Amino acid sequence: MTMKKITVKLNGAEHSAEVEPRLLLVHLIRENLNATGTHIGCDTSNCGACTILLNGKSVKSCTVLAVQADGKEITTVEGLATAEGLHPLQEGFKENHGLHCGFCTPGMMLRAVELLENNPNPTEEEIRWGISGNLCRCTGYNNIVKAIQYAGAKIRGDELPSTEPEFV
Amino acid sequence: MIPANFDYSAPSTLDEALSLLQEHGDEAKILAGGHSLIPMMKLRFASPAHLIDINNIPDLSSIKEEGDSFHLGAMTRESDVEHSEALTGAFPIFADVTKLIADPQVRNMGTIGGNLAHGDAANDHPAVMMALNASVEITGPEGTRTVGIDEFFFGFYMTAVQPNEILTGISIPKQRGKVGSAYHKAERKVGDYATAGVAVQIATDADGKCTYAGIGLTNVNAVPMRAKRSEEALVGSDLSDELIAQAAMMASEDCNPSADLRGDEEYKRHLVKVITKRMIHKAIQRAK
């Protein structure tokens, strides 16, 4: 078994590491690069808690090998906010009570980043299909959908929807 | 869960990948999207000594219209299929099926070639490719050969791809006349395998007579299955409601579902009957 040297760009910063080929990308991110905002939920590519962006595409990092990310750009939840403030999705989740325990939230937001990039003005149904690979066991999803609608409006520069929370 | 140790290569050409396969033989596995293989490796159901990652080989990912057929590179992602207007315009069945394959993140990795090469009757593309009468391109040290979809699946996880070969492309013929296609599967939740699924393509001539019928069934047989008797009943007919109901009944009689947590045999046969009937009607409605 030969170790592999890889270089990745995590949230804009370049990192090199010597890794076993069997190392999972989520472990590289959390344990080698100490970015623990990306969560491990099911470890079976069901729950979506480990969702990150790999070269801009949302993927489940528990089912990608670290060596597959060699030479690529990774975005995690730590890369969303800027010096100017929260990312529209972070703001949306905050304003709309889009989280309770918060465990699914980083994956949910990273998935929503790509969803809104592909489709800046999604319908509620498109949002629900769009996050169908992310499980939330607290919210019942309604406020997550509203958070994504809020972020979409903010990104488009439209009037922001009401942030009255929905109690279900 | 961590896979067993393995060596890893990521060749940048197909020739290099083929010579690595020659070198390592059946000790090696090809890594495409990895969303069937890596879970199996994490569960230690598979422990290949060598992984050959073909993600860095250019030219394996493309959707091209070539005269009378469409050509798909083996590494075309499910999400690329889903968002290809050319492909889903010509074959709406691809819009149906990709939406039902796993979830968006998995579709960003999963490939159409991997879905077939995995050789799992529970996967969705085998039935679709049967309905479309596709052929599969397999490249080995001797060059590329083409295998019809009916000669591709041999058994559980067994396909026509030999240990020194790589599935490199899929060719889908365009049928003549008015052509429509549709797919649906019953699934318990997003990401589950089909309880039962049915893929249909129908072509008719100017008089409305059926000139082509392709019907593939998902996860109701040990290997991906063509509903041959149903197809034969439809071809040459005027596609009356009564005949369509009969064809659907034949598919439910001819499949071989096994009872599992998704349902018992009777329930799955019932699903095959209902979905086959609906998909034939949908394909006819869509025909253009």
Side-chain angles (χ1 to χ4, degrees):
Chain A
M1 195 264 313
T2 326
M3 299 285 276
K4 288 275 172 191
K5 184 163 188 254
I6 61 168
T7 305
V8 298
K9 207 177 232 186
L10 177 69
N11 301 321
E14 203 162 281
H15 299 270
S16 292
E18 189 102 3
V19 301
E20 287 186 0
R22 63 175 173 168
L23 182 74
L24 300 171
L25 180 55
V26 70
H27 292 140
L28 175 85
I29 293 168
R30 288 178 55 86
E31 287 158 30
N32 298 45
L33 306 179
N34 295 318
T36 52
T38 301
H39 295 160
I40 302 176
C42 69
D43 200 12
T44 58
S45 78
N46 268 281
C47 78
C50 65
T51 300
I52 53 116
L53 300 183
L54 189 59
N55 277 0
K57 299 262 189 192
S58 54
V59 301
K60 294 182 169 178
S61 60
C62 75
T63 308
V64 177
L65 302 169
V67 286
Q68 289 180 276
D70 186 23
K72 298 198 168 114
E73 288 188 21
I74 299 165
T75 307
T76 63
V77 67
E78 290 92 341
L80 287 183
T82 61
E84 282 93 69
L86 294 178
H87 186 281
L89 275 159
Q90 292 172 308
E91 191 181 310
F93 273 74
K94 180 171 167 245
E95 293 298 326
N96 291 278
H97 297 245
L99 61 148
H100 293 185
C101 85
F103 197 85
C104 73
T105 314
M108 214 42 107
M109 291 196 293
L110 270 298
R111 172 59 205 138
V113 168
E114 193 199 1
L115 170 67
L116 290 176
E117 260 168 31
N118 291 343
N119 183 357
N121 195 4
T123 63
E124 181 183 337
E125 194 189 345
E126 285 168 339
I127 292 174
R128 288 183 184 272
W129 275 103
I131 58 168
S132 60
N134 296 73
L135 300 182
C136 173
R137 299 287 86 149
C138 305
T139 63
Y141 300 98
N142 286 1
N143 289 339
I144 294 177
V145 172
K146 287 172 76 174
I148 296 171
Q149 285 169 329
Y150 177 101
K154 175 119 189 177
I155 291 166
R156 296 191 307 274
D158 289 355
E159 194 187 329
L160 295 175
S162 152
T163 55
E164 275 302 301
E166 187 170 334
F167 296 103
V168 284
Chain B
M1 296 177 294
I2 315 287
N5 272 319
F6 56 86
D7 276 321
Y8 171 88
S9 321
S12 52
T13 67
L14 190 57
D15 284 345
E16 211 182 317
L18 288 167
S19 55
L20 281 164
L21 263 187
Q22 283 293 97
E23 191 183 326
H24 297 285
D26 54 14
E27 293 280 279
K29 276 297 259 184
I30 295 291
L31 177 67
H35 275 55
S36 298
L37 180 58
I38 293 174
M40 288 175 80
M41 290 170 64
K42 288 169 72 175
L43 292 166
R44 309 281 174 120
F45 291 153
S47 309
H50 202 114
L51 270 196
I52 302 170
D53 181 350
I54 58 172
N55 283 273
N56 296 342
I57 302 176
D59 313 327
L60 282 183
S61 174
S62 61
I63 299 172
K64 287 184 206 144
E65 196 172 351
E66 295 172 339
D68 290 341
S69 64
F70 266 85
H71 184 269
L72 305 182
M75 290 298 289
T76 306
R77 310 278 167 189
E78 300 291 359
S79 54
D80 296 330
V81 172
E82 185 180 3
H83 297 122
S84 165
E85 282 175 23
L87 190 66
T88 56
F91 300 100
I93 195 169
F94 281 115
D96 296 342
V97 67
T98 45
K99 195 177 176 187
L100 295 172
I101 291 175
D103 59 57
Q105 291 96 309
V106 173
R107 294 198 290 272
N108 273 339
M109 291 298 292
T111 64
I112 195 155
N115 194 290
L116 294 174
H118 191 48
D120 190 343
N123 279 358
D124 300 282
H125 282 301
V128 170
M129 295 305 167
M130 284 183 164
L132 300 180
N133 206 22
S135 45
V136 181
E137 289 166 16
I138 302 169
T139 307
E142 313 294 321
T144 299
R145 63 194 179 98
T146 302
V147 174
I149 196 70
D150 292 312
E151 281 78 50
F152 184 75
F153 299 104
F154 279 115
F156 193 52
Y157 296 149
M158 280 162 61
T159 69
V161 181
Q162 299 303 302
N164 61 353
E165 293 179 319
I166 300 174
L167 192 165
T168 44
I170 298 130
S171 179
I172 300 162
K174 288 192 236 168
Q175 300 298 331
R176 287 172 204 284
K178 284 173 71 178
V179 187
S181 57
Y183 182 77
H184 186 66
K185 73 172 171 188
E187 58 178 354
R188 297 177 300 178
K189 59 186 173 69
V190 163
D192 192 18
Y193 290 115
T195 307
V198 184
V200 173
Q201 180 174 246
I202 300 285
T204 56
D205 64 14
D207 302 326
K209 189 166 275 192
C210 177
T211 51
Y212 172 95
I215 302 175
L217 307 179
T218 299
N219 213 11
V220 287
N221 195 51
V223 286
M225 183 186 156
R226 182 185 285 285
K228 223 168 170 193
R229 209 157 52 103
S230 314
E231 294 177 355
E232 284 164 7
L234 296 176
V235 173
S237 80
D238 58 357
L239 296 169
S240 67
D241 288 354
E242 197 191 343
L243 195 69
I244 290 169
Q246 273 175 27
M249 177 58 88
M250 288 171 186
S252 75
E253 288 166 0
D254 294 352
C255 66
N256 301 289
S258 7
D260 59 18
L261 288 172
R262 296 179 186 89
D264 61 18
E265 187 188 323
E266 190 189 351
Y267 173 62
K268 291 183 180 185
R269 285 191 195 279
H270 178 73
L271 280 178
V272 168
K273 185 176 76 181
V274 171
I275 303 174
T276 303
K277 188 171 140 186
R278 287 186 190 167
M279 290 308 105
I280 295 172
H281 280 293
K282 198 168 186 177
I284 294 168
Q285 273 165 21
R286 285 173 168 176
K288 57 172 193 223

